[in-house]
Amino acid sequence: MLARPDAYRCIECGLPYRATGFWHHGGQLEHGAAYWSDRGILCSPQCSLAHHRKRAAEGTLQQEPAPDPFEFQPFSRR
């Protein structure tokens, strides 16, 4: 059977979500990534700071917190 590629990767360095060295909330994989932005997940404090610096230089810093990418967001029917 072929290994399924990891759908989630760090947007700064490309480290896969399940890889050794990826920081998880509470230290547990099931709790999701410890760091994220509106553009994706980040693997570590170092990548989080690098992402922040890059966004500051671009002038594209977020104005409000990004939603947790691992939380289920049910859609509303209108």
Side-chain angles (χ1 to χ4, degrees):
M1 178 177 258
L2 295 174
R4 182 184 62 151
D6 205 327
Y8 295 106
R9 294 184 168 274
C10 176
I11 58 174
E12 283 298 312
C13 72
L15 185 67
Y17 176 66
R18 291 176 172 83
T20 302
F22 203 106
W23 289 47
H24 301 100
H25 184 71
Q28 297 182 354
L29 179 73
E30 310 77 49
H31 293 177
Y35 302 94
W36 66 87
S37 80
D38 58 330
R39 293 185 180 174
I41 61 174
L42 299 148
C43 70
S44 66
Q46 294 82 10
C47 280
S48 178
L49 289 171
H51 185 68
H52 178 80
R53 288 184 195 112
K54 183 190 319 183
R55 299 274 304 260
E58 293 173 349
T60 60
L61 284 175
Q62 293 174 233
Q63 299 303 310
E64 58 188 46
D68 184 342
F70 290 91
E71 254 183 40
F72 176 70
Q73 300 289 328
F75 63 92
S76 62
R77 293 182 184 198
R78 293 182 181 183

